[in-house]
Amino acid sequence: MRRPAKRISQKLAPDSKRIADLAQAMTLASSRLEQRFWEQQLDTQLARLLKSANQQSLEATMNHLFKVDLDAYDALMETIEAGSESTVLDEDGKGVAHQALLIALPILAWTRFAIASSAVPADTLASLCVQLQAHVLADNVQLAMIPMLYSIDQLPRTHVDIHAMLHNVAQAALESRPLTAPAKPPETAPFLADSRYLLAVVIAPLGQPLFRWQASTGSTSAAAEKQAVLRAWQTQAAPHITRLLPGCNIELMLPEAYYMACREADKQIRPASVRAADYYLTQTLNLKSIDLHASIGGFGEDSANAQIDEYRIGFSLGQNPDVVYGIVWPLYGAEDSDQVISSPSGEITQVHAAGHEAGPATPLEEILGSLRESGIVNIKVHDEYFAMEFCDDCGAPLYADRNGELVHAEMPEDAPIASGHLH
């Protein structure tokens, strides 16, 4: 998820100060019991602000803690996310309290054409609900799915929006009331590789499992159960999803809690973007993957520490160094903590497939692996750190060519016009 803007108010409002103090108290707790004490108080304060749609106070607190206490910032972010995507509902007529969780069903899609985002037909929605309950959810879990295939631009934008969606859909689930797709969803940018999402709320009695891997008998690990659930979901749901995304290659990810699912989709769309770039360029320009050359540069905003925020991959053809297309591989969370350029000499390293040694899957290694899996073996990695520069005219990111010059990606003049962009 995006970091908050670094515009810091010098003085916090009382609500923001109270939340900041509680988040810091959580990180300073000397026992689990004390931590839970502060966490319960923080949950209460956040629930009040979410219910009153006070996003401004939440953002002010996050901005403040991001500057003064990163541990407390992380603790607050985790608590806000949990408070907005999940809730405990009032007791029903039988005196039973229920828990509700907003989940996302991520879909990775790549194509030469357009990736749809639209309302989901009733019969397809019903089939997906059946498969979700049969293969992903625990027994006796209630479910309500929004009949909309969302792009990332159409998802709820704030914590209070997510909180409101959770409660609205949960109420529909309890009342067995059908949901409708948003009347006028925002337009989405056309990408050749992008993620799509189905959103649903699941409800179970408080303390009972929501997912099948929670209800395992103990004969297998939760990790193994998750993998089995994912395989079953991919097999059974793929035919229905394919009808929603004609002309697309797709990969279904594990349905999970909203924020976790979205973060995982953000990460997994990156190798899909490499596959999409290879497929688009080879098909459009009528060449083979081995004819493509890739130049990789690390880009960032922190020039003092040469901290990498994203890698940019520029593609060129044969012996021609001109960059014809490019994709951005953003770094998330802890991924950027160790990605520091160690040798800002500007030298270029030629990387051969056979010379790649096994080791921890760093972002750069993931990029190299994705390129090679696509058949692209002519790769150059720049040691130089690059500033985050964009085209002054169109705002497109600039890519490092083989010589380390930042250039605009331009397709050959005789190439067919693309129907979208790559990430």
Side-chain angles (χ1 to χ4, degrees):
M1 293 294 154
R2 295 186 181 91
R3 289 173 177 170
K6 297 183 181 180
R7 296 187 294 271
I8 310 299
S9 173
Q10 296 298 318
K11 185 176 181 180
L12 290 176
D15 283 338
S16 295
K17 186 177 186 308
R18 177 58 175 158
I19 293 172
D21 290 344
L22 290 171
Q24 290 179 302
M26 280 179 59
T27 63
L28 296 174
S30 61
S31 68
R32 193 171 184 181
L33 288 176
E34 183 187 352
Q35 183 180 25
R36 286 177 173 173
F37 171 82
W38 297 121
E39 184 178 10
Q40 289 172 357
Q41 293 199 36
L42 182 57
D43 284 342
T44 300
Q45 294 294 322
L46 291 175
R48 180 174 59 82
L49 294 180
L50 288 167
K51 186 176 182 180
S52 62
N54 193 344
Q55 183 70 30
Q56 184 176 358
S57 291
L58 298 178
E59 291 179 352
T61 312
M62 288 186 289
N63 285 336
H64 171 72
L65 290 179
F66 184 72
K67 180 181 180 182
V68 302
D69 191 337
L70 284 177
D71 288 339
Y73 166 78
D74 289 338
L76 178 61
M77 279 293 297
E78 182 178 350
T79 309
I80 292 175
E81 289 182 359
S84 58
E85 74 181 3
S86 64
T87 190
V88 175
L89 304 172
D90 294 335
E91 294 182 357
D92 58 18
K94 299 178 181 179
V96 178
H98 287 75
Q99 56 193 347
L101 176 68
L102 178 66
I103 66 171
L105 292 63
I107 305 149
L108 308 181
W110 60 100
T111 182
R112 289 178 61 194
F113 309 105
I115 302 175
S117 57
S118 59
V120 178
D123 58 340
T124 302
L125 189 77
S127 298
L128 288 170
C129 287
V130 168
Q131 299 302 334
L132 193 64
Q133 290 189 302
H135 302 289
V136 179
L137 303 179
D139 294 337
N140 302 318
V141 171
Q142 294 174 267
L143 165 69
M145 186 181 297
I146 301 173
M148 175 72 187
L149 186 64
Y150 289 87
S151 72
I152 193 169
D153 302 313
Q154 297 166 336
L155 293 173
R157 292 190 173 273
T158 67
H159 299 100
V160 299
D161 291 340
I162 293 165
H163 179 265
M165 174 180 282
L166 166 69
H167 283 265
N168 291 338
V169 179
Q171 194 61 38
L174 293 175
E175 298 173 358
S176 299
R177 172 168 46 86
L179 294 160
T180 58
K184 294 182 179 180
E187 293 185 4
T188 185
F191 289 104
L192 299 180
D194 208 356
S195 49
R196 292 293 182 267
Y197 304 86
L198 293 164
L199 302 183
V201 168
V202 293
I203 301 174
L206 187 61
Q208 296 300 306
L210 291 168
F211 299 102
R212 289 201 170 270
W213 57 82
Q214 292 178 271
S216 62
T217 59
S219 56
T220 57
S221 67
E225 288 287 343
K226 274 193 171 186
Q227 287 302 310
V229 166
L230 175 58
R231 288 193 296 269
W233 172 247
Q234 289 174 331
T235 300
Q236 300 301 324
H240 307 291
I241 299 295
T242 299
R243 288 197 289 271
L244 299 176
L245 295 166
C248 295
N249 298 290
I250 65 168
E251 180 180 343
L252 304 189
M253 296 180 60
L254 186 68
E256 291 187 288
Y258 177 81
Y259 288 104
M260 176 63 75
C262 290
R263 271 193 286 267
E264 287 303 307
D266 284 344
K267 294 178 181 178
Q268 294 305 318
I269 194 60
R270 300 175 301 184
S273 297
V274 173
R275 295 193 293 269
D278 172 68
Y279 182 74
Y280 169 69
L281 291 171
T282 54
Q283 296 299 309
T284 302
L285 302 177
N286 192 26
L287 45 78
K288 297 180 179 179
S289 300
I290 198 170
D291 298 321
L292 294 174
H293 291 245
S295 299
I296 306 171
F299 289 73
E301 296 179 350
D302 189 351
S303 58
N305 296 319
Q307 184 73 47
I308 298 176
D309 295 312
E310 65 186 31
Y311 286 99
R312 296 182 185 178
I313 309 166
F315 295 92
S316 55
L317 311 177
Q319 299 304 313
N320 189 335
D322 294 340
V323 174
V324 298
Y325 225 114
I327 60 176
V328 175
W329 186 293
L331 302 184
Y332 299 107
E335 287 183 329
D336 61 3
S337 61
D338 297 322
Q339 299 300 309
V340 179
I341 293 292
S342 58
S343 176
S345 61
E347 296 179 357
I348 301 173
T349 304
Q350 179 73 44
V351 182
H352 299 283
H356 180 61
E357 298 180 358
T362 65
L364 184 56
E365 288 174 330
E366 289 185 44
I367 294 172
L368 295 173
S370 297
L371 289 168
R372 292 171 185 138
E373 286 174 9
S374 295
I376 302 170
V377 296
N378 297 299
I379 307 168
K380 286 185 177 179
V381 181
H382 294 271
D383 289 335
E384 183 180 0
Y385 170 87
F386 297 98
M388 301 269 279
E389 294 194 19
F390 301 84
C391 175
D392 293 333
D393 295 326
C394 69
L398 300 183
Y399 299 88
D401 65 14
R402 298 182 206 175
N403 299 317
E405 299 293 330
L406 294 184
V407 298
H408 201 297
E410 296 282 358
M411 286 288 283
E413 292 183 359
D414 57 349
I417 298 175
S419 60
H421 306 283
L422 297 175
H423 266 171

